[in-house]
Amino acid sequence: MPSVNRLHAELKGEGLEVLLVSFREDAALVKRTVRERGYTAPVLLDASGDTTGRVYGVFGPPTVYLINRDDRLLGRATGPHDWGTPTARAFIRELLAPAPR
């Protein structure tokens, strides 16, 4: 998650939004974990896991959804990823670029 924190800090001014979703966890534990790990993006809580599981098909963290500015799902990835690599950063920057007219 450190690479997500860095990516969020670096690109939020360019329009990147990051939402962290915790599911099937106690709210107090999530708050403590966020504080201890220094997460900078907003953290949402789905205590029962119903929404993340049934609606979005998330049954294990981490799962990443890439959604464009028009709210269209561009892709989904599961498992840990290093978002700090030059390739990952270039990919995200390309997604953030304005569409050609």
Side-chain angles (χ1 to χ4, degrees):
M1 293 294 283
S3 67
V4 172
N5 267 350
R6 285 190 299 275
L7 189 70
H8 176 246
E10 180 182 329
L11 299 178
K12 67 182 175 184
E14 295 178 39
L16 178 69
E17 291 189 42
V18 174
L19 299 174
L20 305 174
V21 181
S22 183
F23 58 98
R24 296 188 308 248
E25 296 287 350
D26 175 70
L29 173 63
V30 172
K31 279 185 177 185
R32 186 172 65 243
T33 301
V34 167
R35 186 178 57 252
E36 288 172 357
R37 295 184 183 176
Y39 295 152
T40 58
V43 178
L44 310 175
L45 179 61
D46 176 10
S48 69
D50 286 344
T51 301
T52 52
R54 283 191 283 126
V55 176
Y56 295 101
V58 177
F59 295 101
T63 301
V64 174
Y65 289 91
L66 300 169
I67 301 166
N68 73 4
R69 294 176 191 265
D70 298 322
D71 295 328
R72 188 170 59 105
L73 179 64
L74 301 176
R76 177 180 185 243
T78 56
H81 293 79
D82 183 358
W83 296 101
T85 67
T87 302
R89 282 194 158 14
F91 174 69
I92 297 298
R93 278 207 157 88
E94 187 174 319
L95 293 176
L96 292 172
R101 296 190 186 252

